[in-house]
Amino acid sequence: MHSPMHSGEPINGLSVDVEDWFQVGAFEQVIDRDSWSTLADRIERNCDAILRLFADAGVKGTFFTLGWVAERHPALMRRIVAEGHEIASHGWDHERVFRLGAKGFADDLARARAAIEDAAGAAVTGYRAPSFSIDARTPWAFEVLAEQGYAYSSSVAPIAHDHYGWREAPRFAFRPLPGSDLIEIPVTTAMFAGRRFGAGGGGFFRVLPYGFSRWAIRQVNQRDRRPAVFYFHPWEIDPEQPRVADAPMRSRLRHYTNLGVMAGKLRQLIGEFRWGRMDELAVREAARGAALAA
Ligand SMILES: [Zn+2]
C-alpha cells in the first residue's frame, strides 16, 4: 500500500468524531438539544461514505462517537467494528467537559460508554472530549478518566484558539497523572515562526489548501519524528446537509466552506502518510515509557 519512502515514518492516528450536522459546538446556541431527534439524520449515509473511503485506501481508524448517536444507530456501530476500526467515546451529547464539572463528567462518560458498548458489541478504551474541552479549567478530568479505566484520551488541543485550547499542554503524548498508565495524545500542532497552531484537522485542513496540511504533517513526522493525530467529522464530507440559517456568520463560514472538496482532500492525505487506529497509537506511545512523564 505505502511506498518504501514511508516505511521509516511514524504511523499517525486517523480519527472521526461521530456527530451529526446539528450537534457541532459552533451551532449549540441556535439548535436546542431537545430538537435533535426531530432533525434530518445524516450520520448513517456520511459514515458509510467514510467507511468506503477507508476501505478503498486500506486504512483503519478510530470513530469517537457520541452516546446519543450510538444509541440510535446500533447497526452502524457494528459495521464500524466489523470493518476493523476502533469504536471510542466522544461523550454523551457533546457537552464540553469544563461545563460538566467532575461529577457531571463522570456521569456523562459512564452513560456514553454504556450506550456505545451496547450498540457496538465492543469495549471502549479511548475518549475524545467534545471540542477538545479538557484544559486548564478541568484539573479533575484525567482522574475521572483513569477511575473509569480508560487507556487513553485524545482531548487536548495544546494551542490558544477562540473556542478551545490549553496552550501550556505538551504537544505530544504524555502521562497526565503520576502513578497511572492513562495517556493523553493531543491533537496535532505544527510550529511556525516560533508559534504553535492547530494542524490536526478542522478548518485548517478543510478551508486551507491541502499543501498546508501536507507541510504540517511532514514537519511532525520527519522533523519531530512523532506521530500526528488527525480528526474530521461526517458532516464535513456532506455538501447537501441542511443549512443552519440563524447561526453567527463566522460559524457559518467556517462550517460550510469546502464541504464539496473534503473527500478528495482526505483521499490525498490518507494516501500520502501512514495511518492507523488511536488505541494502537496509544500502545506505541506508551512503549516510550518514562519519556512520557509530564
Ligand atoms: Zn465533536
Side-chain angles (χ1 to χ4, degrees):
M1 181 78 231
H2 296 283
S3 61
M5 60 174 277
H6 281 149
S7 57
E9 290 176 16
I11 301 171
N12 303 297
L14 180 59
S15 62
V16 185
D17 290 357
V18 181
E19 63 205 41
D20 218 333
W21 59 273
F22 48 81
Q23 296 173 315
V24 302
F27 293 156
E28 69 183 357
Q29 302 303 326
V30 291
I31 302 178
D32 196 275
R33 279 181 174 77
D34 292 340
S35 71
W36 283 2
S37 55
T38 69
L39 298 171
D41 191 317
R42 312 277 295 175
I43 207 76
E44 195 99 14
R45 65 183 293 285
N46 292 334
C47 283
D48 282 337
I50 292 166
L51 288 173
R52 281 195 298 276
L53 196 154
F54 285 4
D56 289 347
V59 296
K60 308 297 181 198
T62 293
F63 290 71
F64 292 103
T65 304
L66 293 181
W68 193 97
V69 169
E71 188 175 72
R72 285 161 178 80
H73 297 281
L76 172 64
M77 298 299 109
R78 284 171 192 269
R79 282 203 294 286
I80 290 170
V81 171
E83 295 197 22
H85 305 292
E86 179 193 4
I87 201 88
S89 174
H90 195 36
W92 175 255
D93 64 357
H94 218 267
E95 189 62 272
R96 291 172 170 84
V97 176
F98 55 74
R99 291 209 185 121
L100 286 166
K103 175 70 170 75
F105 181 47
D107 294 346
D108 183 278
L109 269 183
R111 185 182 183 193
R113 185 187 213 157
I116 296 164
E117 291 187 339
D118 269 5
V124 165
T125 64
Y127 173 73
R128 170 164 292 148
S131 306
F132 299 103
S133 55
I134 289 183
D135 60 24
R137 290 168 287 185
T138 62
W140 33 264
F142 290 121
E143 283 169 39
V144 175
L145 283 162
E147 275 164 21
Q148 296 198 15
Y150 281 83
Y152 78 93
S153 152
S154 179
S155 302
V156 167
I159 53 161
H161 182 278
D162 58 347
H163 291 170
Y164 53 78
W166 181 6
R167 84 165 77 202
E168 300 82 14
R171 289 182 61 216
F172 297 110
F174 62 100
R175 288 214 162 90
L177 299 173
S180 163
D181 290 335
L182 179 73
I183 289 181
E184 167 60 36
I185 312 172
V187 67
T188 285
T189 54
M191 299 298 295
F192 184 73
R195 291 171 61 99
R196 290 180 188 183
F197 58 94
F204 180 80
F205 181 78
R206 181 162 41 83
V207 176
L208 297 183
Y210 172 70
F212 285 93
S213 286
R214 176 200 284 131
W215 169 81
I217 293 175
R218 273 190 187 153
Q219 180 189 88
V220 170
N221 284 176
Q222 296 178 5
R223 194 192 72 190
D224 300 323
R225 298 186 174 279
R226 298 301 298 268
V229 171
F230 181 81
Y231 74 98
F232 68 101
H233 306 88
W235 56 264
E236 290 188 272
I237 60 158
D238 182 8
E240 276 95 51
Q241 67 190 275
R243 294 303 192 261
V244 180
D246 42 0
M249 180 60 85
R250 187 187 171 107
S251 301
R252 300 188 67 224
L253 275 177
R254 195 177 279 176
H255 189 91
Y256 296 122
T257 300
N258 276 353
L259 298 174
V261 302
M262 184 70 177
K265 287 170 100 168
L266 281 171
R267 267 183 219 104
Q268 196 168 2
L269 178 80
I270 289 170
E272 198 155 0
F273 297 94
R274 305 177 78 196
W275 300 99
R277 293 162 52 137
M278 293 292 297
D279 56 349
E280 294 171 358
L281 175 56
V283 168
R284 289 191 299 274
E285 291 292 273
R288 300 172 68 90
L292 294 185

